[in-house]
Structures are given as C-alpha cells and as structure tokens.
Amino acid sequence: MPDGVATQVDCGSKLFLALPDDVLALVSTYLRPLDLCALALCCRGLRAAVASSEKAWLAQCRRLGPPAHALPLWREGVRSYRALCRFLAAVAPLLGVWVHQNPELGNVVSVLWGFLSVVGVRIIPQELGPLGLDAGPLLWAPVFEILADADGAPSCFFLHGRGDHGEDCLYPGSVQSIDPSCNILLLEVDVRHKDPALPPGTLHLPCSQIFSAVSDRKDPTLGRKLRWSDSSNTISSPSAAPPSPPSIPFSRLPFSDRRRLLDQVAGRVRLEIPLDLATAPLFDRSPPCDDAKLLARRWSELVNMHKQISGGRIDRKAAELAPGLIEHAATTNGDVISHHQITVSGKRKALVSVAAYLRDGFKQFMSRSNSSKVAGLISRNGNSWASAQKKHAQLHQFLMSGDAVGLSLRATHMRLTAYRAWPDMHDNWFALYKLPMQVPSACHEHAGLWAGTFGWPPGQPSEDKPGKALFFLLLSYEEVEGRPLLIATKILEGTHYVLHPNGSAMFIAKLDETSSDAFPWETDSEPLQVEVEQSYSGEGIASGYGFRYPGSKPGSLFVLQNGLLAFVWKESRSVLTLQRIDLQELLKRGERVPMLPPVANFSYLTKSYSNVFAGILSNSNCSY
C-alpha cells in the first residue's frame, strides 16, 4: 500500500476513534449487532472501542425490544451491556405466540420478557364476566423460562410443572440451540459428554443464535470462528476441539421411548421450591405493583440453583440404575433383571433391557388407547412394522452416546405446511409451533390478535349464563384466486366443550365485496348505537360434515367506529364482537393458576375436546 494511502486510512481511523463515546453510541443505533461486530473486525482500535463502549451496546439492547426502564436493572446482573445484548439477541426469536393442536379448546403459549429472562405462559380457556377483559383477570399458567447467566448466555432453562402432590415444581435443563428463524420449539432429552472446564472469563458466542449473518458471502465460516472474551476485550479464534463421536438425535427415538424418557428424566431432576420463590412474580406486573426487587432476587436464586445442580444434568450411569427405570424391566427372554445382577460389566445389558421395557410399555399403551393407529403403522405403503422399526434408533444406543442426560429445549426452523395461517402439526412431537403473525399496516390494518365473545352489546350476560366464553382469533390477510380475504383463525375457545376445531376459520370476510345487510341493533336492553365505518360480505363457521370438517353460512363483517369488529351470521343473527388486544399487558394484570404435570404442561398430546384445565380452575380461588 502506498504511504499516502496508509496515512489517509490511519488518519481516518484516528479521527473516528477520537469521537466522543456518545457519538459512537448514536452511530450504533443505526447498526445491527452483527454490523457492530463487523465494525470491530476492521482494526485493533475499533475492536477495543466497540468492546469497551457500554453506551454502544446499550443502544443495541434498546433495539431488541425489552422494556427500556428494565435495562439498567438487568445490567446489574451481567458483566456488561455487551453480555446483555448477547442474551437479548439470542432469545428474541422466541418472543410471540406459540400453539399446539391439542386440546381442541386451544393451547396458546405466549413468550414474553421476564427479568433477565424470557417466560412462556399458557393462556387458560375461560369465561368472562359482564365487564369483560377490562376488569376480569386473564388466567394463565407458567410453562417454561430461560434465564441469562452472568456472561449473558441463555443457559438456564427451567420447565414448570405440577408435582406428584399438586405442588409447584421446577425441572432444570439446558438450551440446546435457538435458530434466529425458529418456528418450532422442541422439548427433548439431551445426552452429551461432560465438557472440560473452560478458561475463566471466556464467552462462546453461538453465532447461529445471535450474529448468524456475520458469516457473509466472503467468508461463510467467519461466524463460527468468533469468540468473545470479556476479560481481555478481544476476539479470537478458538482452538480446534478433538472430534466427538456422532450423537443420535432425540427425534430418531420411537415415540414410546421419547415419552417415557422425558417422564423419567423430569422425575429425576424435579426441584421442589420454597413457597416464597414459588409465589414470586415471573415478570413485571401492572402498577401499583413494584416487583423489581422480587424479580431480581428470584433471578439470582434460580441462576445459582441452576449452577449448583450442574444445569439439571444427571450421570447417565446413575440414571441407568434408577429404580423407576429398571424396576419392571425385562430381558428379551422374559427374565427379570435383579438389582444385584447389575455389575460394572453388565451395564450395557441393563441399557438394552431398559429399552425393551419401554418398547413393551408402548405396545400395551397403544393397544389400549389407539389400536386402529397401530394397525395403520403395521402396514403402510406395503412396509412391515419390522422395517419401520429400522428407521428408529435404539434407546440404549442413544443413552450410550454421552455421559450425562438432562432436559433440553431446542428452537429450530422446519419447513411446515399451513392452511390459513394454521401450521400442520405432528401428533407425536413434544413441540410448540410459532404462529405467524402479520404486522398491522395501512393495507392490513386489522391484522393481529383479537379477542371477544358472542352477543351484543359486548359482555352483556344472558339470563341462563352469567359468563361468556372468551375467544382468541388471529386475523390475517390472504389473496385467494385474486380476491383479498380477511381470515379469522380460532386459536382459543373458552367453552366447557369444544364447538369448532382448533385452527379453523371462524369467519372469512371478502374485502372486495361490500355488504348491504344492516347491523342488528335491536336488543332487549338499552340500545348501544355505534357508527359503522365499513361492512364486508363473508362467511361464518357452521356445522358441517362432522367435527373435523365444519361448514359455513353467509354473514357480514362490520368495522365499528370505536375500534371493534363484529361478525354477524345472517340466518341466526348471532354476533361475534372482537377487540384488538395487547396480550402482554393483559398478562401483566392477569392471574396465575396451577399447571399440569411437566411434560404435559409443555405439550399436551392427548386428543381432548373438553377443558382439561376445568379441575384446576375449580380449585383455584380466582374470580373471572
């Protein structure tokens, strides 16, 4: 490089570094975290400036969407704002609404910010009183949470669930990975080798979770080479680790093995927590509650607890000898394995026996509950059950792939088909599916999450039923055969017994066809006159060919002046009144209720048409 060019570059770099820290922070507000990392790779001076600038990383934290007032409090729990940004960028893809097909009344899990954490809570199917959502609390139950450690790594995972005696329990585990474009959340059992102790102060940035796009076209491996160190404020390339034997994915195990392994591991890592910790809030509640100190203390205790128990990992060899796993295990020739027969040389035999026991239990379970499905599996596309079994991994092979086992959460991206915004779901995966939600805009002003009840005026109780079932609908825009449509997909139904399938369209409005029908203002009570801004023709859900295939009947969608939407079935004159909701704000002033056992609390796979939470709500002292 000529001397003149080198002098100009050096002068430009010095001028940039001579800028005040506030100016660097202002510049960083126009950059993404990955852009800030790329800037740090330009030269040593910029690397030191970016690594040491608290204000620049604070600006990045604000871009990621957590409550602005909480950031200074969260900073006290981590080493730096850079570490805080690492956590926020890693878990931000989890925020939103996650669903599952079962139970048919609705399985809606909302993931929101906690305190140095993200918290997943389930919305409970319920009825509303006369005052509706404005006064009655929204009922919810905790599902899981991911907390940041002092380095900003999203390493502390806790699954929530009910214990054997109805007490609130925590089930610690690890976060396996979080894909930036994740659309499916999987609860799994993770088997891994015990990692050697890392040098103190070293932070491994999982670029697939945080700064994945750093691996640009010029160097697609760059993102995998980066390692940040808070102690030295440097970026270095990690030394090559010795290759490890290929591990067997948890998803390759048969459903019976996955189900029982999750239950057994959850039972082994269960933590009964003190009452004050169990009743502490999981996130900021609405004023006048001031939960900052309670949230900080709870976060600190949970992180320390997670560290003391090694992240909820148990020794694989000890797990093999657990009485719950081998008490009734039988060998292939029917002999019962005695505890005294299990020696150091016979541990592999014990693993094979455990796998055989789990497979036998699955056969009995399936023969009792769903024999027709088993018959379908025995002969599919001309393949026998034996050939289908070859596609699955053996349980003992899975367990032998590591030294320690534990619960894990994996957020990944898969190609999923969908029908009218509702994804097609696997019926034997312990999973939650992210609901694609359109952002409201000038062209899609009604897109988003809405809630409401049947009847007009809104919230008016009937003589035979004081409460009204709460419905959650996802409104999205689609174009079908050149016609713009507004589709309202049901994701929650507050009845005692389901009326319509989960994920079905409650109504479809034709946005290019104005309705000539009049709104049914006539009621038995005092009339509530609201100006109608617009009306569209459409079709509302009705009885069809059985439960799974509903029909439709003509109706009209009315856009009211006060921000409400009302769909009216033309024949029955039934009115479904909707209002746009801020789910996070509703949860902040909602009410917590008891939850299901841990694995079912995460993903309820049993087909159900009734409210599985009815027993919990009847034992709860909440008014709704």
Side-chain angles (χ1 to χ4, degrees), residues 16 21-33 35-36 39 50 53-61 63:
F16 188 84
D21 197 29
D22 291 337
V23 177
L24 180 59
L26 181 62
V27 172
S28 68
T29 59
Y30 298 94
L31 303 176
R32 297 170 297 171
D35 298 327
L36 206 57
L39 181 63
V50 169
S53 176
E54 285 281 273
K55 293 183 179 179
W57 289 104
L58 172 60
Q60 293 299 318
C61 292
R63 286 173 54 93

Side-chain angles (χ1 to χ4, degrees), residues 419-614:
Y419 180 70
R420 291 176 178 172
W422 187 255
D424 293 331
M425 305 180 190
H426 300 268
D427 56 0
N428 61 356
W429 285 11
F430 296 91
L432 294 171
Y433 298 79
K434 195 168 189 178
L435 205 59
M437 195 167 298
Q438 297 177 354
V439 179
S441 62
C443 299
H444 299 158
E445 57 179 330
H446 302 305
L449 195 59
W450 294 69
T453 59
F454 276 91
W456 184 267
Q460 183 71 32
S462 59
E463 297 180 357
D464 57 340
K465 197 172 184 181
K468 290 193 173 184
L470 172 66
F471 285 80
F472 274 16
L473 303 182
L474 176 68
L475 269 60
S476 57
Y477 289 80
E478 289 188 18
E479 186 171 326
V480 179
E481 298 180 354
R483 301 194 66 177
L485 304 177
L486 178 61
I487 302 175
T489 304
K490 189 209 82 170
I491 64 173
L492 188 76
E493 179 180 335
T495 57
H496 294 287
Y497 193 86
V498 65
L499 300 177
H500 305 294
N502 202 9
S504 56
M506 289 295 290
F507 63 82
I508 299 176
K510 305 171 185 177
L511 302 180
D512 60 347
E513 185 176 329
T514 303
S515 174
S516 59
D517 296 337
F519 189 86
W521 301 109
E522 301 82 7
T523 60
D524 296 334
S525 59
E526 297 181 2
L528 177 62
Q529 294 289 342
V530 179
E531 182 179 348
V532 176
E533 294 184 348
Q534 187 60 269
S535 62
Y536 304 99
S537 297
E539 296 178 345
I541 196 169
S543 299
Y545 299 98
F547 171 79
R548 184 55 57 188
Y549 303 99
S552 61
K553 291 188 176 181
S556 300
L557 176 66
F558 296 88
V559 181
L560 307 182
Q561 186 182 22
N562 56 359
L564 300 178
L565 296 179
F567 188 86
V568 181
W569 278 257
K570 187 172 184 178
E571 181 180 338
S572 63
R573 309 294 284 176
S574 298
V575 181
L576 175 61
T577 310
L578 302 174
Q579 66 181 80
R580 186 185 293 277
I581 60 171
D582 185 337
L583 188 54
Q584 185 167 343
E585 289 300 320
L586 289 176
L587 290 170
K588 286 184 177 181
R589 50 189 176 89
E591 188 165 343
R592 177 176 174 175
V593 299
M595 54 210 137
L596 294 173
V599 178
N601 191 46
F602 182 86
S603 186
Y604 195 89
L605 298 186
T606 304
K607 182 68 68 176
S608 174
Y609 302 98
S610 61
N611 192 346
V612 299
F613 302 98

Side-chain angles (χ1 to χ4, degrees), residues 237-437:
S237 177
S239 57
S244 58
S247 59
I248 298 175
F250 182 73
S251 58
R252 283 197 56 200
L253 293 176
F255 171 67
S256 61
D257 291 355
R258 287 185 280 117
R259 176 174 59 88
R260 301 217 177 184
L261 197 54
L262 280 171
D263 289 336
Q264 293 292 344
V265 174
R268 291 294 306 276
V269 303
R270 180 182 61 198
L271 296 176
E272 296 183 10
I273 53 179
L275 182 60
D276 59 338
L277 197 61
T279 56
L282 277 66
F283 45 82
D284 274 326
R285 293 176 293 185
S286 297
C289 298
D290 187 6
D291 299 322
K293 292 183 179 179
L294 290 175
L295 290 168
R297 185 174 68 87
R298 182 182 182 276
W299 170 84
S300 178
E301 292 187 13
L302 287 182
V303 170
N304 290 333
M305 184 187 305
H306 196 274
K307 185 183 301 182
Q308 292 172 4
I309 59 177
S310 302
R313 296 204 162 269
I314 54 178
D315 186 79
R316 187 255 301 168
K317 297 179 181 180
E320 293 167 14
L321 303 180
L325 282 174
I326 68 170
E327 183 177 0
H328 303 290
T331 59
T332 54
N333 60 2
D335 295 334
V336 177
I337 295 181
S338 171
H339 177 72
H340 301 287
Q341 295 175 335
I342 301 176
T343 61
V344 175
S345 61
K347 288 180 179 178
R348 182 180 297 272
K349 183 178 179 182
L351 281 173
V352 178
S353 302
V354 170
Y357 158 64
L358 294 179
R359 285 195 301 272
D360 292 342
F362 173 63
K363 292 178 182 178
Q364 297 174 6
F365 170 76
M366 292 298 290
S367 63
R368 290 194 306 265
S369 62
N370 206 349
S371 58
S372 60
K373 287 188 177 181
V374 174
L377 288 174
I378 292 177
S379 177
R380 177 181 293 177
N381 298 329
N383 296 329
S384 65
W385 172 255
S387 63
Q389 280 290 83
K390 295 180 181 179
K391 300 178 182 178
H392 295 300
Q394 299 298 314
L395 178 60
H396 69 277
Q397 295 175 345
F398 174 77
L399 293 175
M400 288 293 289
S401 61
D403 301 320
V405 298
L407 298 175
S408 69
L409 189 72
R410 182 163 64 96
T412 185
H413 178 82
M414 296 184 180
R415 296 186 63 179
L416 300 174
T417 59
Y419 180 70
R420 291 176 178 172
W422 187 255
D424 293 331
M425 305 180 190
H426 300 268
D427 56 0
N428 61 356
W429 285 11
F430 296 91
L432 294 171
Y433 298 79
K434 195 168 189 178
L435 205 59
M437 195 167 298

